[in-house]
Amino acid sequence: SKSLDVAQSSVDSAKASLASSQSSLKAAQDAQNVGLAADQVAITNAQKTLATVQSTVTANLPIYQNQLAAAKDSLYSQQVGRDASCGHPGSTQCNTANASMAGAQTALDQANAQYVVNLKSGDTSISTAQASVDSAQSAMTSDKSKLAAAVVSAQNALNQAQLAYGAAQTSFASSQAQAGATVQSAQAQITSAAGSVKSATASLNSLVAPPVQADIDTATAQIVNAQAAVDTAQLNLDGASLISPY
């Protein structure tokens, strides 16, 4: 019947929505697992880079300190030599020693400047690597929230789809029960009408005397009416069909 067709259509639609919601939930869960795994790899790599930079900076510091100490030692050595050579100020030997000491002082100034540059460069490298770690950790925190929200949303949609599917099945069962009752009623009408036809036919056949036209007309009308009742009941039965929801 039409009501059963509508109920069956609702069941089919709800079942399709349920399957779609299940698929969406799995996709959201997969995206969460993949996304967080990628974030963790990014954090681990950033932490390794930071550790490498810190180790390099720490290892380079003694080298820079030794370079600065060597420049200081060289200046001191030149000062001692100058003092020894300038017992007679203005001599060629004294002038040469002064020039050497000036060169050593310049070298020390450059070593000091380079030492500062190297320290700042190391600090910058560490800060940059630390910023990468912080950024990776922040990305994971953000992704945890967004991906978890997506999973919750998909789960809620699945719950709603399950409720809708259950309601559609209940509605179909109700329509099916009503159709069954209609079939039983129509069958009872057919049985009753068939009995009327049989009774009317028997009455017609029981006329042993030459029939009176009025009696024939009455019996014939009864048969016609009974047959009409049978036809109507059959139409009702044909209209009440049972359809399985599965």
Side-chain angles (χ1 to χ4, degrees):
S1 65
K2 183 176 181 180
S3 61
L4 274 179
D5 291 340
V6 172
Q8 181 64 60
S9 178
S10 296
V11 170
D12 294 341
S13 177
K15 187 175 182 180
S17 295
L18 178 60
S20 177
S21 296
Q22 290 171 330
S23 178
S24 295
L25 175 59
K26 185 178 185 305
Q29 291 171 331
D30 290 344
Q32 182 183 45
N33 293 333
V34 172
L36 294 183
D39 287 341
Q40 185 58 59
V41 170
I43 290 175
T44 299
N45 290 338
Q47 290 173 332
K48 288 181 179 179
T49 298
L50 174 60
T52 299
V53 170
Q54 290 173 327
S55 177
T56 299
V57 169
T58 300
N60 286 339
L61 182 59
I63 297 175
Y64 302 148
Q65 291 173 334
N66 289 337
Q67 291 173 343
L68 182 59
K72 289 179 178 179
D73 290 343
S74 177
L75 176 60
Y76 177 74
S77 177
Q78 294 299 329
Q79 286 175 332
V80 171
R82 189 277 310 270
D83 292 343
S85 299
C86 289
H88 301 284
S91 65
T92 300
Q93 188 177 9
C94 180
N95 291 337
T96 300
N98 281 329
S100 295
M101 191 184 74
Q105 182 62 58
T106 299
L108 177 58
D109 293 341
Q110 292 175 339
N112 274 319
Q114 187 60 49
Y115 181 74
V116 172
V117 169
N118 289 338
L119 290 182
K120 288 183 177 180
S121 177
D123 290 342
T124 299
S125 297
I126 290 176
S127 296
T128 299
Q130 182 62 58
S132 295
V133 172
D134 295 341
S135 177
Q137 291 174 332
S138 177
M140 170 168 267
T141 299
S142 176
D143 287 345
K144 276 184 178 180
S145 177
K146 291 187 295 185
L147 293 172
V151 170
V152 170
S153 178
Q155 182 63 62
N156 288 339
L158 175 59
N159 293 341
Q160 291 298 319
Q162 288 172 330
L163 291 175
Y165 182 55
Q169 288 178 314
T170 299
S171 178
F172 181 86
S174 177
S175 296
Q176 194 174 40
Q178 291 176 355
T182 301
V183 168
Q184 291 177 351
S185 176
Q187 187 63 57
Q189 291 176 358
I190 290 177
T191 301
S192 175
S196 296
V197 170
K198 183 177 180 180
S199 176
T201 301
S203 295
L204 179 61
N205 293 335
S206 68
L207 298 176
V208 294
V212 178
Q213 187 61 44
D215 293 337
I216 295 175
D217 292 341
T218 298
T220 300
Q222 290 176 343
I223 293 174
V224 170
N225 290 335
Q227 186 60 54
V230 171
D231 294 341
T232 299
Q234 185 62 54
L235 288 175
N236 291 336
L237 178 61
D238 292 341
S241 58
L242 294 179
I243 301 175
S244 173
Y246 310 108

